[in-house]
Amino acid sequence: MPGWIPRWNRLPRWGKILYALAGVAVLVAAGVFGVPALQKPDTCHHGVEKMGGECIGVDGAGYDFGTPEISAVAKAISKENKRIANQPHVTVAMMLPLQSNTVGLRRQMRSDLQGAYLGQRQANSGMGQVPRIRLVLANPGVNYGHQDKIVSTLLDMAASDKDKLRAVTGFNLTLDATVKAVERLTGNGVPVLASRISGDGIANVEGKKQRFPGLARIIPTNGNAAEALANFNGDRGREDARTVLVYDDRPDAYIQSLASAFHGIKETGPAGPDDMPFTSPGIDEAGSTGSQFEQIANNICGSAADTVYFAGRTLHLRIFALTLARQTCANRHFTLVSGSDAASLRQAMSEKDWAQLRGEDGAAKVTVQYAAPAHPAAWDTELAAWTKQWKETHHREPTANELPQYLTEPKAALDGLSDLIRSTSEAGTDLGSTPDLEDSRTMLVYDGLVTIGTALHEVQGKDAEQAPSLADVRQEWSKLQSVHRVRGTSGLICLTSGGNPYDKPVAVVELNPGKGVRGTLKFVGLGWSTGKEQPKNCVIPSGTS
């Protein structure tokens, strides 16, 4: 173009210098300091960011977060999401760590996700029941280290008309980071259903202002479980001279809650041995606990105690049990009582470990007992015992209407889950393995999704096109009682005004060394925090909330 002069040449000399310096500054910042605007984040998958070697993010399209054990079940969830994509639906997020270097923990993740998928299928199975559930997996990293990023994503999804996130579940560890995540979600109006966290610190206190508005729980707190265990064990579990508390003094919300619960058991008789603390370096680290346990076990042998309440994580429980079994204090038998985290113990036991618990004569030297959230043998075993006692006093078989609801309804729910597992397999759906119900994980997570589905269907009403609001779901939790109780495989779920399960039973189970190469997990009975079973129709007594 004739007479055109480039803008660069029209600038005065000082302007050219500043212009050049500005360009250099941008290039230096981008190359040396890594300006975010000029760098793309490192990703593992669409919507999943790589942070410190972990894949942090939310996905519902079948991504396995680099964990092969969950690949099949993640794909099954994705397939179900596609099936209901054109039907009225809302999103539910399953939030828990989904990566680990430990094989046992990866298998636990698979059990949790199998329960989530089966619960999603069950919630989506009713004819005309809407909304359907679209399930997404949310990985906050090891020990929920990146929970803040995940919570921010979930809050955006809750505000999105596309995602319509209406509940968050999962939460398999009671940690300070878990508390922060639940507090922030509920504080921003997002309903949370906790299916596997037992710490008293993540529960609303009845009759007081709710710390976590919109939180529902379907697992008893450590306090409830401790009372149930003490009630189950009777005098032996409460006699001071025969009991001792061993606890980890490392800051850990689950451990602190469990230690407080055990310490709060009302004891009788002469004083027994004082509490015995130890210090561990972390959830999955042994550190010097072995040598600490040697001294503690020696001191217990020098006392009259034969029942040890243990407040600690699974790894340390295993080490302590084996240490106690090695003691030679007059061949005494010890019962080691712990909380729900012990549900993972059986998977960590080797053949050598079982032999050590068994002793040279084949008899159990140490029996590990804990309050499991559920056990697949509970309902058949308890019904058989109840029926036997009925026949002895009534001299006839009970009718169907005379059988107790608190046993028959959970049994029917468990039978339904077993049928669903069978039909899923027959349909060729791969879940990575056949779900193993014995460790309670699949059952509890399944019950959680069924409870969320029940709440969604109850508040939907006749308007199938209008998704329920966050407030609708939050307010529905406390209505799931009496006529609207949830028939869970883990027991009847009847929620108080604080969102807590009323008198939810615990399955008292024991590691049975047996006489073979490997031991078994034996169901020994139901424990009730109130000292008696739930009332008929699960009507919560006044004054409870």
Side-chain angles (χ1 to χ4, degrees):
M1 185 176 188
W4 179 78
I5 302 174
R7 180 175 296 179
W8 168 263
N9 289 334
R10 293 202 300 265
L11 289 173
R13 185 169 181 272
W14 60 267
K16 294 178 181 179
I17 294 171
L18 290 178
Y19 195 87
L21 288 174
V24 170
V26 169
L27 291 173
V28 169
V32 178
F33 298 103
V35 175
L38 300 180
Q39 273 191 339
K40 291 184 178 180
D42 192 6
T43 59
C44 301
H45 182 73
H46 178 69
V48 180
E49 189 173 344
K50 193 168 187 177
M51 302 177 69
E54 296 185 273
C55 296
I56 307 301
V58 180
D59 180 80
Y63 179 59
D64 64 9
F65 295 86
T67 302
E69 283 84 352
I70 69 171
S71 294
V73 68
K75 290 175 182 176
I77 290 170
S78 173
K79 184 178 179 180
E80 176 65 7
N81 288 342
K82 292 175 182 176
R83 187 185 72 82
I84 56 94
N86 294 324
Q87 303 176 44
H89 67 271
V90 297
T91 300
V92 173
M94 179 77 178
M95 181 174 173
L96 77 165
L98 293 171
Q99 290 176 279
S100 174
N101 294 324
T102 305
V103 174
L105 291 178
R106 296 199 298 268
R107 290 172 180 167
Q108 290 173 22
M109 295 169 194
R110 181 173 61 201
S111 292
D112 285 336
L113 296 191
Q114 287 173 340
Y117 167 75
L118 293 165
Q120 178 193 23
R121 283 284 310 278
Q122 180 63 25
N124 289 345
S125 64
M127 291 294 293
Q129 285 189 324
V130 290
R132 306 298 195 188
I133 290 177
R134 168 181 173 253
L135 186 62
V136 296
L137 308 182
N139 181 27
V142 174
N143 294 335
Y144 293 81
H146 297 288
Q147 58 81 21
D148 53 342
K149 177 178 176 60
I150 295 301
V151 169
S152 294
T153 300
L154 296 179
L155 292 178
D156 289 342
M157 292 174 67
S160 165
D161 289 336
K162 177 183 177 182
D163 291 309
K164 298 186 183 71
L165 179 77
R166 289 299 176 264
V168 180
T169 187
F171 302 109
N172 61 340
L173 291 171
T174 304
L175 302 169
D176 289 342
T178 325
V179 175
K180 291 177 182 178
V182 174
E183 195 165 38
R184 187 175 167 207
L185 284 166
T186 56
N188 283 277
V190 177
V192 171
L193 185 135
S195 56
R196 291 204 54 83
I197 43 178
S198 58
D200 293 71
I202 310 182
N204 291 317
V205 179
E206 301 295 344
K208 295 185 178 181
K209 182 179 179 181
Q210 295 186 2
R211 180 183 177 185
F212 308 100
L215 169 66
R217 304 170 48 90
I218 64 168
I219 183 175
T221 61
N222 285 330
N224 292 147
E227 276 301 314
L229 283 168
N231 290 333
F232 181 82
N233 286 313
D235 292 340
R236 179 174 66 83
R238 295 183 182 275
E239 191 175 333
D240 199 353
R242 297 182 61 185
T243 61
V244 61
L245 171 62
V246 175
Y247 68 96
D248 191 345
D249 59 10
R250 175 178 59 82
D252 180 306
Y254 165 80
I255 295 170
Q256 292 167 331
S257 171
L258 187 59
S260 177
F262 284 150
H263 198 271
I265 293 174
K266 294 179 181 179
E267 295 182 312
T268 61
D274 195 12
D275 299 346
M276 300 184 186
F278 68 94
T279 305
S280 74
I283 292 178
D284 296 317
E285 300 176 68
S288 66
T289 53
S291 60
Q292 294 180 65
F293 289 156
E294 288 285 351
Q295 298 175 62
I296 291 174
N298 286 335
N299 288 335
I300 292 174
C301 274
S303 74
D306 58 10
T307 299
V308 182
Y309 287 106
F310 186 89
R313 292 290 183 173
T314 300
L315 171 66
H316 311 114
L317 174 62
R318 172 183 162 274
I319 296 171
F320 182 73
L322 297 175
T323 303
L324 195 59
R326 286 198 301 267
Q327 302 304 308
T328 55
C329 33
N331 292 320
R332 280 159 54 194
H333 173 266
F334 293 95
T335 298
L336 190 52
V337 183
S338 196
S340 61
D341 195 65
S344 306
L345 180 59
R346 180 171 176 260
Q347 296 180 9
M349 296 287 288
S350 68
E351 293 179 7
K352 182 179 177 182
D353 294 339
W354 286 113
Q356 192 165 320
L357 284 187
R358 195 177 297 123
E360 294 180 2
D361 61 355
K365 296 184 69 176
V366 173
T367 297
V368 180
Q369 181 190 94
Y370 64 91
H375 192 281
W379 313 120
D380 282 336
T381 304
E382 291 292 305
L383 266 173
W386 187 94
T387 302
K388 180 180 178 182
Q389 186 176 15
W390 170 278
K391 290 166 66 175
E392 289 175 353
T393 56
H394 293 76
H395 308 293
R396 63 176 176 83
E397 291 281 347
T399 65
N401 290 333
E402 289 169 331
L403 293 171
Q405 286 176 320
Y406 67 88
L407 297 178
T408 56
E409 291 184 354
K411 172 177 165 49
L414 181 59
D415 289 344
L417 173 57
S418 298
D419 289 343
L420 180 56
I421 292 172
R422 184 164 46 253
S423 64
T424 298
S425 175
E426 291 172 351
T429 302
D430 183 10
L431 299 182
S433 69
T434 301
D436 181 2
L437 304 184
E438 198 171 69
D439 70 355
S440 77
R441 290 179 176 274
T442 300
M443 292 171 64
L444 260 290
V445 177
Y446 171 85
D447 284 354
L449 265 293
V450 169
T451 301
I452 292 171
T454 302
L456 289 170
H457 299 153
E458 290 284 353
V459 300
Q460 179 65 70
K462 296 181 179 179
D463 187 356
E465 298 302 318
Q466 183 66 38
S469 68
L470 293 166
D472 288 336
V473 181
R474 289 198 310 271
Q475 295 164 8
E476 184 62 25
W477 294 146
S478 62
K479 298 178 179 65
L480 299 182
Q481 56 167 290
S482 189
V483 173
H484 299 287
R485 63 190 177 275
V486 178
R487 283 80 168 173
T489 64
S490 59
L492 297 181
I493 298 167
C494 335
L495 299 180
T496 66
S497 59
N500 298 308
Y502 177 70
D503 197 22
K504 183 81 181 295
V506 298
V508 181
V509 297
E510 293 179 351
L511 283 183
N512 178 25
K515 295 182 180 180
V517 176
R518 296 188 64 82
T520 59
L521 192 63
K522 179 184 178 183
F523 170 76
V524 292
L526 290 178
W528 307 89
S529 61
T530 64
K532 58 183 179 180
E533 66 276 1
Q534 293 161 309
K536 186 177 181 180
N537 291 331
C538 216
V539 176
I540 300 174
S542 62
T544 299
S545 300

